[in-house]
Amino acid sequence: MNVPQPPGRPPRSGRFRRTVRALVLAASLMASLAAVTGCTASAEADAPRTPCGLVIDGSGSGAAGSRGFDAEAKLKSTLVPFLTDRRCGTLAFAPVTRSSQTSSCRVGDVDLDPPAEETTDRDSLRRSARVVAIQGALTMLKCARTQGGSDVIGALARIGDAMPSGKETPSLLVVSDFEQADKEFTLRVSEIGTDESRERAVDTLLGARGVPGIAGMDVYPVGYGMRHDARPSDYRPFDAFWTEILSRRAKAHVHDDYRK
């Protein structure tokens, strides 16, 4: 029996219903694809991309105890927060030794966001990579302690050279008290008390070495100036000396986030 259709509405054929179902299915697939694409784009945007560097001081002043600033303890307490906060995608290493740029202490760069299948737990993979970074840092510290000396400026030059060029601004964690002491130059606070003497000392230190290539980079010192914390009269010229080098001449951006 033919069912009468309401006035003005054409009868719906089987072809019409199939077309509607196809359109609904297509719309559903497009929505699903958009959701997946959105998640992928979000994951890509959240991926850690910052090229990072670690400078670790192996000199005697970095020992534990009342006379040292305990480089190992500061390294362990700041490295993971630094890697996380700065969204580090890679980590390179440089030691502070008697001749940092030519030091035989070498540790390979760590990829903190290694490639993986889509089904891989990326957070777990990144945590494992950070463990590798900690192990590499401790290995570098152990080696640096066998070579003595405190060529901080050479370590800054070495880590600057290790940073890749690209759109992302590198971040550098420098675990050191910044007491420059090598065979060619020893920083003595008593000799940098005036603007003129400080200028001469900076010129002498940089001299043939040149300014470290860290322009525009973000530098995060840890242990900076700890030997002078108890004597403001000593700390002021020390800080002015390194401010001249890091901020004015090297044109780096120095931050206090992890300074301890």
Side-chain angles (χ1 to χ4, degrees):
M1 179 177 66
N2 292 328
V3 179
Q5 298 292 323
R9 179 180 295 177
R12 295 186 177 182
S13 65
R15 179 180 296 178
F16 176 82
R17 286 190 291 270
R18 287 194 296 272
T19 300
V20 171
R21 283 197 296 268
L23 289 172
V24 171
L25 179 59
S28 178
L29 289 173
M30 289 293 288
S32 298
L33 180 59
V36 170
T37 303
C39 290
T40 302
S42 177
E44 286 295 320
D46 291 341
R49 299 182 184 279
T50 306
C52 294
L54 170 68
V55 172
I56 181 69
D57 196 331
S59 67
S61 63
S66 58
R67 293 190 176 183
F69 70 92
D70 202 342
E72 183 172 343
K74 285 178 172 48
L75 171 66
K76 290 178 177 177
S77 66
T78 58
L79 181 56
V80 171
F82 167 78
L83 297 177
T84 305
D85 297 344
R86 309 275 68 83
R87 305 192 62 76
C88 296
T90 57
L91 183 66
F93 304 86
V96 174
T97 66
R98 61 177 175 267
S99 182
S100 301
Q101 283 187 284
T102 59
S103 170
S104 59
C105 295
R106 303 277 169 181
V107 173
D109 294 0
V110 176
D111 185 347
L112 296 165
D113 188 30
E117 300 294 331
E118 290 184 4
T119 56
T120 302
D121 183 346
R122 299 203 64 82
D123 288 339
S124 176
L125 197 63
R126 289 166 183 165
R127 284 193 295 270
S128 297
R130 288 195 289 269
V131 171
V132 174
I134 295 170
Q135 293 170 341
L138 293 174
T139 297
M140 179 63 85
L141 176 59
K142 182 178 180 180
C143 179
R145 282 176 166 170
T146 67
Q147 298 190 353
S150 186
D151 177 19
V152 180
I153 206 75
L156 292 171
R158 177 165 161 176
I159 201 65
D161 290 343
M163 292 296 98
S165 59
K167 296 181 179 178
E168 301 293 333
T169 301
S171 290
L172 311 176
L173 184 69
V174 185
V175 184
S176 173
D177 57 2
F178 282 74
E179 295 294 335
Q180 180 78 25
D182 58 53
K183 291 185 177 180
E184 296 178 334
F185 182 94
T186 297
L187 177 60
R188 295 183 176 88
V189 172
S190 61
E191 298 176 358
I192 56 172
T194 66
D195 292 343
E196 294 77 11
S197 62
R198 195 158 49 246
E199 189 82 7
R200 286 195 301 271
V202 170
D203 289 340
T204 300
L205 173 58
L206 297 181
R209 308 181 198 218
V211 177
I214 55 175
M217 299 185 189
D218 292 312
V219 177
Y220 298 86
V222 181
Y224 176 91
M226 287 193 67
R227 286 181 57 187
H228 310 293
D229 278 358
R231 293 176 59 88
S233 58
D234 284 352
Y235 181 82
R236 280 195 295 270
F238 172 90
D239 185 50
F241 175 87
W242 282 108
T243 297
E244 174 67 24
I245 291 175
L246 298 174
S247 300
R248 296 194 179 94
R249 301 206 186 185
K251 300 187 185 307
H253 305 298
V254 182
H255 307 274
D256 293 335
D257 298 50
Y258 311 101
R259 189 176 294 191
K260 297 180 178 182

